[in-house]
């Protein structure tokens, strides 16, 4: 009944938004996933019906309205809803993602609310282009959907420069801050972000400062290569790493992504192929392979799931 009521509420909100000239966008992904029993959490090979990763694979309904019209200057509002549409009513989740109010001019853009960190939105999301592959290569202390955030963005020539900070109402002035720059140089898109954390957490890795960069380069119209790199001021627990990286290539509808992480000996390979069937609908196949195999009895090793999934993706 709760799921039914949430569905009715969402339908009512969508109808009201359309009448109020609010821009509504969205997407949904659902797939049949076959997981192998190589990780400690999977005792047997199994089939499940699952949505994709949070950034790309959840069901999103986004609402946007601006004083100056779409992309215009003045005040604007953005709200993102997230639904884990996995077919299990007991675990049905309807949450908010980014939600903020902002003001833009020809010189600057300011946002206040629940916002993804610069480190995540400018670098980390480069590893979430696939619908079922999570980003593991960029793991800052402050990631996505952070409340109490302030961001200021401006442009210096061809370079976009931004800074954000997560403020607090307790004894600390702030939890974290990001400073970043991104630019398009011919066929290359480059981002560089630094995230600083005050020494307020209980473990060293939670107090890590992160420096990360991403690059995407179009070799041809149909061939793209990308990569990310992160360096952390502290190592992860259990002999983890203080750096991580990713490498990816996309050719037409096929993609390959290899990632390492700061977790102990964790690396994975993802493959994806998509079959567009209409302007709004895409069928796809994705697979994930653990780069290394370790004994499940060793608690210091990070053992990835291995799976193959066939899915349907729909965009409003």
């Amino acid at each position: 009944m709760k799921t039914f009521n949430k569905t009715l509420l969402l339908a009512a909100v969508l109808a009201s938004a359309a009448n109020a000239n609010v821009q509504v966008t969205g997407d949904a992904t659902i797939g049949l996933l076959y997981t192998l029993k190589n990780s400690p959490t999977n005792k047997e090979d199994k089939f499940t019906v699952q949505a994709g990763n949070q950034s790309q694979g959840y069901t999103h309904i986004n609402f946007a309205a601006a004083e100056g019209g779409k992309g215009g200057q003045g005040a604007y509002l953005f709200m993102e809803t997230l639904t884990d549409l996995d077919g299990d009513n007991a675990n049905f989740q309807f949450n908010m993602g980014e939600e903020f109010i902002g003001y833009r001019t020809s010189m600057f853009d300011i946002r206040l609310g629940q916002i993804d960190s610069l480190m995540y939105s400018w670098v980390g999301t480069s590893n979430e282009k696939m619908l079922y592959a999570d980003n593991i290569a960029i793991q800052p202390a402050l990631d996505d959907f952070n409340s109490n955030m302030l961001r200021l963005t401006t442009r210096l020539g061809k370079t976009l420069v931004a800074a954000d900070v997560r403020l607090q109402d307790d004894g600390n002035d702030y939890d974290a801050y990001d400073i970043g720059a991104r630019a398009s140089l011919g066929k290359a898109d480059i981002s560089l972000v630094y995230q600083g954390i005050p020494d307020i957490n209980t473990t060293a890795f939670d107090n890590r400062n992160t420096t990360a960069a991403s690059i995407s380069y179009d070799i041809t119209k149909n061939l793209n290569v990308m990569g990310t790199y992160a360096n952390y001021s502290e190592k992860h627990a259990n002999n983890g790493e203080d750096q991580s990286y990713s490498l990816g290539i996309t050719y037409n509808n096929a993609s390959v992504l290899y990632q390492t992480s700061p977790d102990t000996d964790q690396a994975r390979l993802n493959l994806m192929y998509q079959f567009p069937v209409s302007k709004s609908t895409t069928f796809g196949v994705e697979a994930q392979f653990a780069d290394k195999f370790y004994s499940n009895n060793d608690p210091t090793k990070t053992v990835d799931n291995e799976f193959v999934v066939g899915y349907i993706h729909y965009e409003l």
Side-chain angles (χ1 to χ4, degrees):
M1 182 60 69
K2 290 183 178 180
T3 299
F4 180 71
N5 290 338
K6 288 179 178 179
T7 303
L8 287 179
L9 177 60
L10 179 58
V13 171
L14 286 171
S16 299
N19 292 331
N21 295 322
V22 176
Q23 295 92 44
V24 181
T25 60
D27 56 84
T29 304
I30 199 73
L32 181 63
L33 186 142
Y34 182 69
T35 309
L36 302 181
K37 60 180 179 181
N38 67 298
S39 87
T41 58
N42 295 315
K43 305 305 181 182
E44 298 291 340
D45 297 351
K46 61 180 181 179
F47 281 102
T48 53
V49 174
Q50 290 191 17
N53 63 37
Q54 181 169 277
S55 174
Q56 300 294 331
Y58 273 19
T59 297
H60 304 86
I61 302 295
N62 305 321
F63 305 89
E67 178 183 355
K70 186 177 181 180
Q73 298 184 21
Y76 64 96
L77 169 70
F78 179 83
M79 297 177 64
E80 174 189 23
T81 69
L82 300 173
T83 304
D84 186 2
L85 195 65
D86 61 5
D88 185 352
N89 289 338
N91 294 325
F92 183 91
Q93 298 179 14
F94 183 79
N95 299 315
M96 298 302 298
E98 286 195 291
E99 46 181 339
F100 54 84
I101 190 168
Y103 192 89
R104 68 168 65 94
T105 71
S106 60
M107 297 295 295
F108 68 87
D109 182 301
I110 186 169
R111 298 177 180 181
L112 301 97
Q114 181 163 291
I115 303 173
D116 295 342
S117 69
L118 276 177
M119 182 67 71
Y120 176 75
S121 58
W122 282 17
V123 183
T125 54
S126 300
N127 299 317
E128 293 188 340
K129 303 302 183 182
M130 296 186 183
L131 298 179
Y132 283 81
D134 290 314
N135 160 55
I136 62 170
I138 307 299
Q139 295 189 23
L142 196 66
D143 214 334
D144 54 353
F145 310 146
N146 305 295
S147 60
N148 210 6
M149 290 283 288
L150 165 66
R151 175 181 293 173
L152 177 64
T153 305
T154 188
R155 183 174 292 278
L156 300 176
K158 295 183 178 180
T159 302
L160 201 63
V161 179
D164 63 32
V165 60
R166 184 178 185 184
L167 303 173
Q168 282 295 359
D169 55 6
D170 56 17
N172 304 306
D173 290 333
Y174 62 92
D175 275 351
Y177 67 89
D178 295 78
I179 301 173
R182 68 189 313 181
S184 294
L185 305 174
K187 297 181 178 180
D189 294 323
I190 302 172
S191 296
L192 177 64
V193 181
Y194 175 82
Q195 183 178 106
I197 305 291
D199 189 12
I200 60 176
N201 298 300
T202 56
T203 64
F205 191 64
D206 290 335
N207 289 319
R208 64 192 180 276
N209 300 322
T210 305
T211 303
S214 68
I215 182 169
S216 174
Y217 185 80
D218 293 325
I219 298 176
T220 67
K221 180 180 179 181
N222 300 320
L223 179 61
N224 173 270
V225 294
M226 59 76 62
T228 65
Y229 173 80
N231 182 270
Y232 309 94
S233 62
E234 303 286 345
K235 285 190 175 183
H236 202 289
N238 297 322
N239 299 315
E241 304 292 336
D242 61 1
Q243 57 186 343
S244 53
Y245 67 89
S246 70
L247 296 170
I249 184 169
T250 299
Y251 179 69
N252 289 329
N253 297 321
S255 299
V256 179
L257 177 65
Y258 178 80
Q259 298 183 80
T260 68
S261 90
D263 293 335
T264 306
D265 296 315
Q266 183 186 23
R268 68 170 60 146
L269 176 70
N270 288 88
L271 309 175
M272 182 181 73
Y273 192 87
Q274 294 186 316
F275 306 86
V277 296
S278 70
K279 183 178 179 180
S280 301
T281 305
T282 300
F283 293 148
V285 178
E286 189 172 326
Q288 178 169 292
F289 303 95
D291 181 62
K292 301 173 183 178
F293 297 92
Y294 294 100
S295 168
N296 292 345
N297 295 323
D298 187 344
T300 68
K301 307 298 183 180
T302 302
V303 183
D304 275 327
N305 284 332
E306 293 196 311
F307 62 78
V308 176
V309 59
Y311 62 84
I312 303 172
H313 178 71
Y314 173 76
E315 295 188 9
L316 293 176

